[in-house]
Amino acid sequence: MSDSTPTSAPTPAPASTPTAEKAPATDAAVRAELTRLRDSIDNIDAAVVHMLAERFKCTQQVGVLKAEHQLPPADPAREARQIARLRELAESAKLDPAFAEKLLNFIIAEVIRHHETIADGTR
């Protein structure tokens, strides 16, 4: 009596391909490139933080000067000029101008908050 259950043929082993053979080397190369790029990103992030710290040192001095002379913490005309200027810089640097504007608006809001705090302390 023969078995009527169909049998499937064994699946052949995948053929060796050049890509499969180079995977470990490629993986190591990709990891090395990721590490190199991430190290650069880390250095840039550090530079950005230091530049922001310098910027805020200057804006703190502006806040003191404004408070001493009873000037308002915000300067909408200057802020509008700065936003327009930064958008132009972003465009020339191939950075999204809308992103640059959002970033500057965030920074300006923080600066105004600092200026208000300084003004409150001198009243």
Side-chain angles (χ1 to χ4, degrees):
M1 206 174 192
S2 69
D3 186 77
S4 62
T5 308
T7 60
S8 60
T11 306
S16 178
T17 62
T19 305
E21 291 172 5
K22 292 184 180 182
T26 301
D27 289 346
V30 168
R31 282 193 305 276
E33 182 67 0
L34 278 172
T35 298
R36 184 189 69 76
L37 291 168
R38 288 174 174 163
D39 287 347
S40 291
I41 290 167
D42 292 349
N43 288 336
I44 293 165
D45 288 346
V48 168
V49 167
H50 287 281
M51 293 300 294
L52 283 171
E54 284 300 310
R55 187 185 198 287
F56 277 99
K57 286 177 189 174
C58 291
T59 60
Q60 288 293 99
Q61 292 173 13
V62 168
V64 169
L65 191 59
K66 284 181 172 185
E68 289 172 348
H69 297 278
Q70 291 81 44
L71 297 170
D75 185 345
R78 164 130 171 103
E79 293 156 18
R81 287 190 309 273
Q82 285 297 97
I83 288 168
R85 179 177 163 272
L86 196 70
R87 286 185 68 92
E88 287 178 15
L89 288 170
E91 285 178 22
S92 69
K94 307 283 190 265
L95 179 67
D96 179 8
F99 169 76
E101 182 174 346
K102 287 176 191 175
L103 177 62
L104 186 59
N105 280 326
F106 178 78
I107 292 169
I108 288 169
E110 187 68 9
V111 167
I112 291 170
R113 189 180 68 75
H114 290 179
H115 289 184
E116 291 168 344
T117 301
I118 293 167
D120 289 345
T122 60
R123 288 183 190 145

